[in-house]
Amino acid sequence: MKVLVAVKRVVDYNVKVRVKPDGSGMDIANVKMSMNPFDEIAVEEAVRLKEKGAVSEVVVVSCGVKKCEETLRTAMAIGADRGILVETDVELQPLAVAKLLAALVAKEQPGMVILGKQAIDDDANQTGQMLAALTDMAQATFASKVEVADGKASITREIDGGLETLSVSLPAVVTTDLRLNEPRYVTLPNIMKAKKKPLEALTPDALGVDVAPRLTTLSVSEPPKRSAGILVPDVATLVAKLKTEAKVI
């Protein structure tokens, strides 16, 4: 079985981003970029399934600018067999990415597609669900455990009341949660090996997909600064301030 894993190049989670002075977006010039942490978990899970013998090939795909090749090479250093870059300078929104992935599903015919449940830059949590709808595949979101056997996948997911286990027929779309696994440390020898693995470059036009944005960002602003807290001498003073100043009671 072949597994297709989608990875996204995002601002590193340790970086504190700033709003541009004109409020048109976030200033990400010259900041450190890395693989979306949820996608890294997806790659690790696909590689583990291959190591167990449940998967024969792991293909990673990224959609975006030329520098996304670095993200794909990192995924191949983790253990993916080959990569596909859908190169475009257009700002991609979840629906556009889902359509590109749907075109690649038709081209590659994977038995499973694994994605991070969301990207840490836009927190949309939409692409996996949209892909399942476009391809008419079963979906299991927020997976904390994945097992594959006899043409089906057993997915354990965390819900408010505890754990829920789903059995889905393959092919299927699975999105990963934080507790699914802990990605392995990428060693230098594997980084060198990844440089020799095949990487195919495509364009949205070659896949027949229109990626023009459908949403327009009107403005971006930082959240208002919180005022400093104060100490009150007694409960009566606290209640008085809640009534007169905070006006919450």
XYZ file of all heavy atoms in Angstrom, residues 41 45 140-147 154-159 162-165 174-181:
217
model
N 4.450 14.759 12.516
C 3.856 13.580 13.151
C 3.255 12.654 12.089
O 3.358 11.425 12.179
C 2.780 14.012 14.165
C 3.443 14.716 15.353
C 1.951 12.820 14.650
C 2.465 15.393 16.294
N 4.349 8.784 11.379
C 3.393 7.671 11.435
C 3.439 6.846 10.156
O 3.385 5.607 10.203
C 1.982 8.201 11.682
C 0.966 7.120 12.001
C 1.276 6.366 13.299
O 1.977 6.943 14.162
O 0.833 5.206 13.431
N -10.917 9.982 9.004
C -10.803 9.821 10.457
C -9.879 10.927 10.936
O -8.687 10.928 10.631
C -10.247 8.445 10.809
N -10.431 11.868 11.683
C -9.675 13.051 12.077
C -9.155 12.933 13.510
O -9.666 12.162 14.315
C -10.549 14.314 11.964
O -11.729 14.140 12.762
C -10.973 14.545 10.521
N -8.125 13.723 13.814
C -7.545 13.818 15.164
C -7.094 12.453 15.689
O -7.370 12.089 16.832
C -8.526 14.442 16.161
C -9.176 15.714 15.684
C -10.412 16.103 16.147
C -8.547 16.535 14.760
C -11.007 17.279 15.724
C -9.132 17.712 14.326
C -10.363 18.084 14.804
N -6.379 11.705 14.874
C -5.976 10.350 15.255
C -4.886 10.370 16.321
O -3.896 11.083 16.207
C -5.470 9.588 14.031
N -5.086 9.579 17.379
C -4.052 9.412 18.405
C -3.461 7.999 18.358
O -2.506 7.700 19.074
C -4.622 9.692 19.798
O -5.697 8.824 20.092
N -4.041 7.124 17.496
C -3.485 5.786 17.279
C -3.991 5.286 15.936
O -5.179 5.447 15.612
C -3.911 4.834 18.404
C -3.287 3.440 18.301
C -3.707 2.562 19.476
C -3.086 1.185 19.382
N -3.511 0.308 20.516
N -3.095 4.691 15.148
C -3.458 4.192 13.820
C -2.965 2.761 13.670
O -1.787 2.467 13.910
C -2.843 5.067 12.698
C -3.150 4.469 11.328
C -3.350 6.495 12.788
N -3.863 1.868 13.263
C -3.499 0.487 12.968
C -4.119 0.096 11.629
O -5.286 0.422 11.371
C -3.984 -0.457 14.072
C -3.322 -0.216 15.423
C -3.860 -1.145 16.495
O -4.993 -1.646 16.318
O -3.160 -1.365 17.504
N -7.877 1.069 11.693
C -8.524 1.300 12.980
C -7.908 2.557 13.572
O -6.699 2.611 13.831
C -8.307 0.106 13.914
O -8.853 0.354 15.191
N -8.736 3.561 13.773
C -8.258 4.868 14.230
C -8.841 5.176 15.598
O -10.061 5.171 15.780
C -8.672 5.985 13.245
C -8.323 5.606 11.801
C -8.042 7.309 13.647
C -6.861 5.451 11.529
N -7.965 5.441 16.560
C -8.398 5.882 17.883
C -8.241 7.394 17.954
O -7.197 7.931 17.589
C -7.564 5.223 18.990
O -7.698 3.803 18.893
C -8.034 5.682 20.365
N -9.297 8.058 18.398
C -9.269 9.524 18.477
C -9.790 9.979 19.829
O -10.646 9.323 20.431
C -10.077 10.156 17.340
C -11.496 9.681 17.237
C -12.117 9.977 15.865
N -12.042 11.383 15.516
C -12.989 12.266 15.811
N -14.071 11.881 16.488
N -12.872 13.518 15.440
N -9.245 11.089 20.302
C -9.651 11.621 21.598
C -10.876 12.516 21.435
O -10.907 13.382 20.572
C -8.502 12.405 22.225
C -7.295 11.534 22.548
C -6.165 12.327 23.176
O -6.329 13.545 23.358
O -5.127 11.727 23.478
N -11.878 12.281 22.258
C -13.084 13.106 22.262
C -13.318 13.594 23.694
O -12.604 13.199 24.615
C -14.310 12.320 21.742
C -14.555 11.069 22.598
C -14.127 11.933 20.280
C -15.815 10.314 22.229
N -13.686 10.843 26.326
C -12.669 9.793 26.440
C -12.053 9.474 25.099
O -11.562 10.365 24.398
N -12.106 8.183 24.697
C -11.535 7.740 23.441
C -12.611 7.131 22.555
O -13.514 6.449 23.028
C -10.430 6.702 23.674
C -9.203 7.164 24.467
C -8.240 6.002 24.680
C -8.494 8.305 23.752
N -12.492 7.381 21.266
C -13.404 6.808 20.280
C -12.571 6.062 19.245
O -11.568 6.583 18.761
C -14.205 7.927 19.597
C -15.157 7.435 18.512
C -15.859 8.590 17.819
O -15.158 9.486 17.297
O -17.108 8.595 17.781
N -12.973 4.847 18.905
C -12.258 4.049 17.915
C -13.133 3.852 16.685
O -14.279 3.404 16.801
C -11.845 2.679 18.487
O -11.012 2.880 19.636
C -11.062 1.889 17.455
N -6.625 10.431 6.851
C -6.411 10.450 8.294
C -5.680 11.741 8.655
O -4.692 12.098 8.010
C -5.578 9.237 8.754
C -5.286 9.321 10.253
C -6.299 7.940 8.426
N -6.174 12.453 9.668
C -5.451 13.628 10.161
C -4.921 13.333 11.553
O -5.587 12.674 12.350
C -6.339 14.892 10.189
O -7.346 14.762 11.199
C -7.004 15.117 8.843
N -3.717 13.820 11.836
C -3.000 13.411 13.038
C -3.118 14.418 14.172
O -3.126 15.625 13.958
C -1.507 13.213 12.725
O -0.950 14.459 12.279
C -1.331 12.181 11.633
N -3.179 13.889 15.383
C -3.194 14.710 16.594
C -1.816 14.632 17.251
O -0.978 13.797 16.887
C -4.283 14.219 17.551
C -4.845 15.339 18.415
O -4.185 16.386 18.514
O -5.936 15.161 18.984
N -1.605 15.464 18.258
C -0.286 15.555 18.888
C 0.154 14.262 19.544
O 1.326 13.911 19.532
C -0.286 16.678 19.932
C -0.071 18.102 19.423
C -0.198 19.088 20.575
C 1.287 18.237 18.766
N -0.758 13.515 20.146
C -0.376 12.344 20.925
C -0.248 11.073 20.091
O -0.086 9.985 20.640
C -1.364 12.136 22.074
C -1.042 13.011 23.284
C -2.140 13.006 24.325
N -3.273 13.810 23.906
C -3.321 15.138 24.016
N -2.303 15.792 24.512
N -4.387 15.805 23.629
N -0.286 11.193 18.780
C -0.148 10.005 17.935
C 1.250 9.399 18.058
O 1.410 8.184 18.161
C -0.438 10.373 16.475
C -0.289 9.261 15.450
C -1.182 8.087 15.788
C -0.627 9.778 14.047
N 2.274 10.230 18.035
C 3.652 9.734 18.178
C 4.590 10.904 18.464
O 4.167 12.065 18.477
C 4.106 8.987 16.917
C 4.101 9.887 15.679
O 4.683 10.975 15.673
N 3.440 9.439 14.608
